[in-house]
Amino acid sequence: QMQDLTFLNKNYYLTELYLNNNELTDISGALKHLCSLQILFLHNNELKKLGKTVKELKGMISLQTLNLFQNPLAYDPNYRLYVIYFLPSVQLLDRKLVTQRERESALHLYNPKRAWVMQSVAFGKRADTSWGTAVGPSRCTQPARRPIMPSVLKWFGNVQVMDLLCSFCRVPFEDPEDAILVRATTRSLMEFSSVDWNKVATCQERLLKNKAEEPLEKLTVQFR
């Protein structure tokens, strides 16, 4: 039948706390100093304000197991996603494992701008390529064709042809399309890489000793 938690003000090193089956209506100012807490049971109480309750628990970066069911606040719309978003270290909520899909849904619901950025950011760079280098997925669907070089360039062999194209740029090709093809294939190759940002651990998740980071999946697209 406990209704007050002021007696916990000096218990800084608690790692487990079982306060279930009481008559608690407010925990403000009573638990936020418990930064080492890993397990917290608050189910079957009279907690009504979801935002106020979660705010008290935000500083618990080691909190992994949390029970809040059988409280009036548990009937709030999107209650579970709200707790998952604002308490990212929690892995077991109300006796149910927090899934990656729930974390993604919570991010889209409470921070849609960040969710959009995380899905749209990619990295671009120039990649060196030589004549005849095979390119990955490309927008070019035309079959490769061998250009007919000017006769003045044939004397120097295939190795020096590309270097001489810049020096003898005023020498006409026998077919104008060959000049276009050579110019297109000598352009820089671009690579754009993107990763699944939902699998990148946050600062709070990295502080968890038992949190294993998932390998990043990188998608790279090349085109000229």
Side-chain angles (χ1 to χ4, degrees):
Q1 299 180 350
M2 287 192 301
Q3 299 180 355
D4 184 77
L5 299 177
T6 55
F7 63 91
L8 291 172
N9 291 339
K10 296 182 180 181
N11 298 78
Y12 294 97
Y13 297 104
L14 285 177
T15 57
E16 300 182 15
L17 186 56
Y18 303 90
L19 296 170
N20 50 297
N21 304 321
N22 283 288
E23 297 181 4
L24 298 172
T25 59
D26 189 8
I27 61 172
S28 299
L31 302 178
K32 60 183 178 181
H33 62 286
L34 302 177
C35 298
S36 300
L37 207 61
Q38 299 178 15
I39 299 175
L40 176 61
F41 285 2
L42 284 169
H43 56 278
N44 195 19
N45 277 282
E46 297 298 327
L47 301 174
K48 298 179 180 179
K49 297 182 179 180
L50 178 60
K52 198 173 182 180
T53 300
V54 172
K55 183 179 180 180
E56 182 70 16
L57 308 179
K58 280 186 177 181
M60 301 179 182
I61 59 177
S62 299
L63 187 62
Q64 300 181 28
T65 302
L66 175 64
N67 282 351
L68 288 172
F69 61 91
Q70 291 182 350
N71 278 286
L73 58 78
Y75 297 98
D76 286 16
N78 299 314
Y79 145 75
R80 184 174 175 87
L81 294 182
Y82 184 90
V83 176
I84 290 173
Y85 177 75
F86 288 101
L87 302 177
S89 64
V90 174
Q91 301 179 18
L92 187 66
L93 176 60
D94 294 343
R95 301 175 180 175
K96 183 179 178 182
L97 284 172
V98 177
T99 65
Q100 182 62 31
R101 178 169 294 184
E102 286 179 320
R103 295 192 187 278
E104 294 174 3
S105 299
L107 181 64
H108 281 279
L109 181 61
Y110 293 103
N111 198 341
K113 185 176 181 179
R114 183 187 178 196
W116 179 81
V117 171
M118 291 174 66
Q119 294 296 331
S120 61
V121 174
F123 301 97
K125 68 175 183 178
R126 291 182 180 272
D128 294 331
T129 180
S130 57
W131 178 263
T133 301
V135 181
S138 173
R139 294 179 297 179
C140 181
T141 57
Q142 295 293 334
R145 56 189 298 268
R146 186 176 182 179
I148 302 176
M149 300 295 181
S151 57
V152 67
L153 297 179
K154 290 182 180 179
W155 299 340
F156 299 94
N158 294 332
V159 177
Q160 298 178 345
V161 163
M162 295 307 301
D163 294 333
L164 290 170
L165 284 176
C166 295
S167 302
F168 297 94
C169 57
R170 289 179 294 180
V171 179
F173 281 79
E174 297 180 9
D175 188 343
E177 292 185 1
D178 292 332
I180 297 175
L181 178 61
V182 169
R183 181 180 178 184
T185 53
T186 54
R187 289 175 180 171
S188 298
L189 180 68
M190 294 296 297
E191 287 185 357
F192 280 91
S193 300
S194 180
V195 299
D196 186 355
W197 293 100
N198 293 318
K199 294 185 178 180
V200 179
T202 62
C203 294
Q204 291 182 335
E205 290 174 338
R206 290 173 183 172
L207 292 175
L208 298 177
K209 297 180 181 179
N210 299 327
K211 178 67 177 181
E213 294 189 10
E214 300 181 15
L216 298 179
E217 297 180 4
K218 180 180 177 182
L219 173 64
T220 300
V221 180
Q222 297 181 340
F223 60 92
R224 295 189 186 277

